[in-house]
Amino acid sequence: ITPAYWGSKVNPEMKYLMLDHAFNHDYQKVFFHVDNRNLHSQAAMKKLGATLNQIKPADKMRLDGSMRDTVE
């Protein structure tokens, strides 16, 4: 979502709706893949009750061409 809605009630409500949909369709787990430098998104995931599963080193390329570690 756009930065104007970060930290508002919209962001957690949207994530709740997506998670509710997934779990009501028999998914057992949902993974959020977040850049290891994106501390804002990592904090948002923790607020939802997410737990760290693993850190995948250099598994995706950023727009600038550098490789990123992914927090899952």
Side-chain angles (χ1 to χ4, degrees):
I1 65 173
T2 63
Y5 292 100
W6 294 354
S8 73
K9 294 178 182 179
V10 173
N11 198 9
E13 181 64 20
M14 181 183 68
K15 286 184 178 71
Y16 169 79
L17 291 170
M18 290 189 301
L19 291 168
D20 186 58
H21 177 79
F23 293 127
N24 282 320
H25 285 83
D26 298 323
Y27 286 89
Q28 300 299 312
K29 292 182 180 181
V30 173
F31 291 92
F32 291 96
H33 299 259
V34 180
D35 189 318
N36 66 309
R37 296 191 297 189
N38 191 339
L39 301 178
H40 188 275
S41 287
Q42 290 179 45
M45 297 300 101
K46 288 179 184 176
K47 283 183 185 178
L48 293 172
T51 57
L52 175 65
N53 183 48
Q54 65 179 326
I55 298 175
K56 294 181 176 180
D59 72 321
K60 296 197 188 302
M61 187 178 292
R62 294 185 182 98
L63 293 176
D64 66 5
S66 65
M67 296 303 289
R68 77 172 208 190
D69 296 343
T70 298
V71 176
E72 189 176 86

